[in-house]
Amino acid sequence: MLSGGSDGVIGLYDLENLSRKPTYACEALFSVGRSHLDVHKYSVETVQWYPHDTGMFTSSSFDKTLKIWDTNTLQPADMFYFDETVYSHHMSPVATQHCLIAVGTRSPNIRLCDLKSGSSSHILRGHREGVMAVSWSSRDEYILASGSADGRVKLWDVRRASGCLSTLDQHNGKRSKFYSEAEMFAHNGMVNGICYTNDGLHLLSIGTDDRMRLWNSSTGKNTLVNYGKICNESRKRLKFAISCGCNQEFAFVPHASIIAVYAVFTGELITELRGHYDTINCCVFHPHFQELYSGSKDCNILAWIPAPRKPVADDISEKSLPQQHLNPAYEDAWSSSDDED
């Protein structure tokens, strides 16, 4: 696991629990410490493994740089410099035809850095204020989503000259018949968190208007799922996570020292995870271990594991069990002849 700190330090951890104890501590195997010549000068905002090979990872910081690291030597293989503070970056988890890193900064323009050429000349223009969060689609390697301080969420196709596919609108374009794209806002405040579901069919966004919204990524429509008030006091990127591999998908949203767990497709608040002693900065879900990791200002990274499911007695039929809410894309919508009039 990679971690980046407010002091610019990057740590690498082995998550395997060799002790087999229910509670254990992981020591950092390696780190890019303050004495390292190429350590970030200010807070590290994003770290990410190269999706296809852990021999390389990336980091971006408030020191206006994006660095490409060789894991074996812990030395930068390449560096990109920007004129503005870097808020976030992301590499596509499914890309096979390109090696682009999307970078959001205090500038309204999104920069695309090409690992193959070392160039960052490709720019996506359309936002009016800084880009707080960027996320590549987990379904289509050329589709990118961005959230900005201007309250907008935009979808981009990086193959197109104009780039922008659509601007998401919380009202689905129904506010007035003279509605224009300039009046379309995803949130009534900064959009500082976006995340695709694992299948790429939906996109979650979080804004400083204390709202979280679920969007159909194909149509760009607001699905109108009501999550209630989502406390969001962060004025920089809010790193939240969505589960993968569960029969019901959950969103893990940090607020103060707790993590609120929501059912993605119903909006239900399932539970709140408590264990940190200070503000939580980020959440990451590990699909293979089915574990959640959270980093906090209390200088701890906690691993959360799901509680074992209680065994079901043999005499209880499956029909008597409560029905779980599934992703609508996977629900059986066919009707049998018996249901027809």
Side-chain angles (χ1 to χ4, degrees):
M1 179 175 65
L2 285 168
S3 73
S6 59
D7 55 0
V9 172
I10 298 173
L12 289 85
Y13 301 85
D14 185 352
L15 297 177
E16 189 172 4
N17 179 15
L18 297 177
S19 69
R20 304 302 177 192
K21 295 179 180 178
T23 302
Y24 65 100
C26 291
E27 297 294 332
L29 297 177
F30 308 101
S31 66
V32 180
R34 295 305 306 168
S35 60
H36 196 289
L37 291 176
D38 296 298
V39 67
H40 283 291
K41 295 179 181 179
Y42 304 125
S43 172
V44 177
E45 292 301 301
T46 309
V47 288
Q48 184 186 4
W49 292 106
Y50 179 59
H52 308 295
D53 184 2
T54 55
M56 184 170 70
F57 66 90
T58 58
S59 64
S60 60
S61 165
F62 275 178
D63 64 10
K64 304 179 182 180
T65 65
L66 167 69
K67 298 185 179 184
I68 318 300
W69 297 86
D70 183 322
T71 307
N72 297 309
T73 63
L74 289 183
Q75 297 295 327
D78 204 352
M79 296 176 64
F80 296 89
Y81 299 89
F82 303 92
D83 295 329
E84 302 285 351
T85 299
V86 178
Y87 290 128
S88 69
H89 77 268
H90 192 229
M91 285 181 286
S92 171
V94 297
T96 58
Q97 302 300 314
H98 70 76
C99 292
L100 297 174
I101 306 176
V103 183
T105 71
R106 188 173 290 175
S107 163
N109 301 326
I110 301 169
R111 302 293 294 268
L112 298 180
C113 302
D114 193 337
L115 285 180
K116 289 183 178 179
S117 66
S119 168
S120 61
S121 58
H122 198 160
I123 298 175
L124 301 177
R125 294 181 172 88
H127 284 295
R128 298 182 178 181
E129 296 185 42
V131 179
M132 309 294 293
V134 289
S135 179
W136 291 97
S137 167
S138 50
R139 189 178 186 86
D140 187 325
E141 65 178 289
Y142 294 106
I143 302 301
L144 176 72
S146 62
S148 169
D150 63 10
R152 294 178 173 87
V153 173
K154 289 181 176 288
L155 300 182
W156 311 81
D157 185 336
V158 297
R159 296 168 295 183
R160 293 168 46 134
S162 59
C164 187
L165 284 175
S166 61
T167 300
L168 304 187
D169 175 38
Q170 59 182 294
H171 302 290
N172 288 331
K174 297 179 180 179
R175 200 162 59 174
S176 76
K177 62 180 181 180
F178 301 108
Y179 213 45
S180 68
E181 187 172 350
E183 299 174 279
M184 294 182 179
F185 293 92
H187 290 269
N188 300 322
M190 294 193 306
V191 181
N192 58 351
I194 52 175
C195 186
Y196 275 96
T197 55
N198 183 60
D199 56 21
L201 297 176
H202 293 85
L203 176 73
L204 268 178
S205 66
I206 292 180
T208 55
D209 57 356
D210 294 333
R211 291 290 181 266
M212 181 163 67
R213 294 194 168 92
L214 181 69
W215 309 86
N216 183 309
S217 60
S218 298
T219 64
K221 296 295 185 181
N222 181 1
T223 63
L224 304 178
V225 175
N226 183 12
Y227 300 95
K229 182 178 180 181
I230 306 290
C231 296
N232 179 7
E233 299 172 355
S234 176
R235 290 302 177 263
K236 59 180 184 178
R237 182 194 179 201
L238 182 68
K239 175 65 176 176
F240 68 103
I242 299 177
S243 67
C244 171
C246 303
N247 71 333
Q248 182 178 190
E249 292 179 81
F250 303 102
F252 303 96
V253 183
H255 164 60
S257 61
I258 66 172
I259 302 171
V261 183
Y262 294 90
V264 170
F265 293 101
T266 66
E268 179 186 0
L269 176 62
I270 303 298
T271 188
E272 293 180 338
L273 306 180
R274 301 175 185 270
H276 283 290
Y277 300 103
D278 206 338
T279 302
I280 299 172
N281 296 316
C282 59
C283 291
V284 177
F285 188 81
H286 197 304
H288 303 306
F289 292 173
Q290 288 292 295
E291 292 182 352
L292 177 75
Y293 304 98
S294 58
S296 166
K297 287 184 179 179
D298 62 14
C299 300
N300 290 316
I301 298 175
L302 298 184
W304 308 82
I305 61 174
R309 180 179 293 179
K310 295 181 180 179
V312 179
D314 294 336
D315 59 344
I316 299 179
S317 67
E318 192 174 298
K319 291 184 178 180
S320 66
L321 295 175
Q323 295 297 309
Q324 297 292 328
H325 296 285
L326 301 177
N327 183 330
Y330 298 126
E331 289 184 355
D332 185 1
W334 291 97
S335 62
S336 68
S337 57
D338 296 337
D339 298 331
E340 296 175 354
D341 296 333

